[in-house]
Amino acid sequence: MDISVIIPLYNEEESLRELYDWIKRVMEANGFSYEVIFVNDGSTDRSWGVIEQLRAEDKRVRGIKFRRNYGKSPALYCGFELAEGDVVITMDADLQDSPDEIPELRRMIVEDGYDLVSGYKMNRSQGDPLSKTIPTKLFNATARAVSGIHNLHDFNCGLKAYRKDVVKNIEVYGEMHRYIPFLAKNAGFSKIGEKKVHHQARKHGVSKFMGWNRFVNGYLDLLSLWFLSNFGFKPMHVFGFIGSLMFLIGLISSAVLGVTKLYHLSAGLPHPLITDSPYFYIALTMMILGTQLFVAGFLGELISRNSHLRNNYHIEKEL
């Protein structure tokens, strides 16, 4: 199979048929073999009914229905698991991503040898409010600096193309869909490119991903990913080091207090109780915290991200 198109969606019943017809025209015009995987992320409208109708008309349509709303990352994870195409395309269901971009995205993967190609919505400011564009610009600047992928302008663009090996070797969880290029880079897929794509105005409904909460959550996710990519498999290196340093400082401070006490006793000088000094409690606190951090690092080393429940999503139906 040439292409798998994965479309996560939440309450997009008005646009699904138009989107699929558009994808079908593009695929048939270029002679591609393909499948379209709709991932219904707990929609409360008739989105699943539309997907079932499309499936009845065309067996190249596949569908996944979540029992509740999990988010875009779980939807992509399950879509990646199901995909069979040599090239995997992801796009949003709101008709803002143009299927006409698919042939060139595929060419960049197949002929130019990219592992991942991310869309760059040049004209998105024409259709999005400032509450969305300003956080996006700040977020992308920070993501470039932290990830080291300096050639991407729009990490969060839903229109992306992947070599099949990429989607089968990365784990998208939580809200990490914003950082798929970073995840791919950490997995060893370093040839990451960008393509300028057309951004269309939304035709139906309203965006489900607006506001400053995306900005805050994005930075928290980026911090988590940076930490996991650097220390996820070696938590002892950070917690153990900080814990050992704090314990050592507390131990030395306690020793200094003890030596000072002995000196005063031997010299016959007034010798106040060690417990009367605030430095004693500071040193004791440093030793306790240092021990706790060291133990946390050791436990983290044992666990080392081996949770079997991370991607346990409840799928009600699958077509």
Side-chain angles (χ1 to χ4, degrees):
M1 185 180 294
D2 293 325
I3 298 176
S4 293
V5 182
I6 299 174
I7 304 173
L9 61 107
Y10 178 71
N11 291 344
E12 298 286 358
E13 64 174 304
E14 301 97 337
S15 60
L16 294 182
R17 180 168 290 278
E18 182 178 350
L19 177 59
Y20 178 70
D21 289 342
W22 192 354
I23 293 171
K24 183 178 179 180
R25 288 196 302 270
V26 171
M27 296 298 186
E28 292 180 349
N30 289 272
F32 296 142
S33 57
Y34 70 98
E35 64 180 355
V36 179
I37 303 171
F38 291 101
V39 186
N40 182 21
D41 185 23
S43 295
T44 57
D45 63 0
R46 291 189 60 259
S47 293
W48 184 249
V50 176
I51 295 169
E52 289 181 318
Q53 291 175 1
L54 292 172
R55 170 68 178 182
E57 299 168 7
D58 191 341
K59 298 304 179 185
R60 290 171 295 192
V61 174
R62 307 177 73 181
I64 296 173
K65 181 183 180 184
F66 288 166
R67 289 189 178 275
R68 65 174 181 84
N69 179 252
Y70 285 105
K72 191 171 184 179
S73 291
L76 288 175
Y77 174 84
C78 293
F80 289 162
E81 288 284 297
L82 202 61
E84 298 178 359
D86 294 331
V87 175
V88 177
I89 305 288
T90 60
M91 64 192 325
D92 294 335
D94 53 14
L95 296 173
Q96 291 186 286
D97 296 332
S98 171
D100 291 333
E101 307 283 357
I102 291 176
E104 179 61 16
L105 287 169
R106 178 184 179 274
R107 188 199 65 78
M108 293 179 72
I109 297 291
V110 174
E111 297 182 15
D112 294 346
Y114 285 103
D115 297 314
L116 184 155
V117 179
S118 181
Y120 175 25
K121 297 178 179 179
M122 292 290 295
N123 62 328
R124 72 178 307 151
S125 59
Q126 298 177 11
D128 291 335
L130 291 177
S131 63
K132 188 173 182 180
T133 56
I134 292 177
T136 295
K137 289 182 180 296
L138 294 173
F139 155 74
N140 283 313
T142 306
R144 284 193 296 272
V146 173
S147 68
I149 308 175
H150 300 291
N151 62 321
L152 295 189
H153 295 83
D154 190 359
F155 277 73
N156 200 31
C157 177
L159 185 57
K160 288 182 173 65
Y162 311 80
R163 192 178 304 281
K164 183 179 181 180
D165 288 346
V166 175
V167 302
K168 300 300 184 182
N169 285 280
I170 62 174
E171 183 184 14
V172 188
Y173 62 95
E175 294 188 25
M176 292 299 178
H177 59 275
R178 302 180 180 94
Y179 305 107
I180 288 181
F182 196 2
L183 293 171
K185 179 185 176 184
N186 290 338
F189 299 99
S190 58
K191 193 165 184 182
I192 298 172
E194 183 175 74
K195 181 186 182 301
K196 296 178 182 178
V197 298
H198 181 66
H199 179 63
Q200 303 183 122
R202 171 181 278 271
K203 294 183 65 174
H204 307 286
V206 296
S207 175
K208 284 77 177 177
F209 305 102
M210 295 176 63
W212 285 88
N213 61 314
R214 298 170 63 249
F215 179 66
V216 175
N217 292 339
Y219 274 106
L220 293 176
D221 290 337
L222 183 59
L223 181 62
S224 298
L225 185 55
W226 174 83
F227 184 86
L228 290 174
S229 64
N230 287 278
F231 304 108
F233 293 102
K234 46 187 178 182
M236 194 62 168
H237 288 198
V238 59
F239 288 110
F241 171 75
I242 297 175
S244 298
L245 183 62
M246 291 181 68
F247 183 87
L248 185 61
I249 292 173
L251 183 63
I252 292 174
S253 300
S254 299
V256 169
L257 290 173
V259 170
T260 303
K261 173 75 172 183
L262 292 175
Y263 170 76
H264 280 79
L265 288 174
S266 62
L269 299 173
H271 47 278
L273 294 174
I274 291 179
T275 53
D276 289 340
S277 172
Y279 297 107
F280 169 76
Y281 297 100
I282 294 174
L284 185 62
T285 301
M286 293 283 283
M287 293 176 68
I288 293 173
L289 290 176
T291 302
Q292 290 178 332
L293 285 171
F294 187 89
V295 172
F298 179 72
L299 293 176
E301 198 76 26
L302 294 178
I303 297 171
S304 190
R305 299 177 66 211
N306 284 327
S307 173
H308 298 292
L309 300 176
R310 169 172 290 158
N311 287 306
N312 183 24
Y313 309 120
H314 300 287
I315 297 174
E316 181 179 352
K317 296 180 182 179
E318 184 173 316
L319 300 177

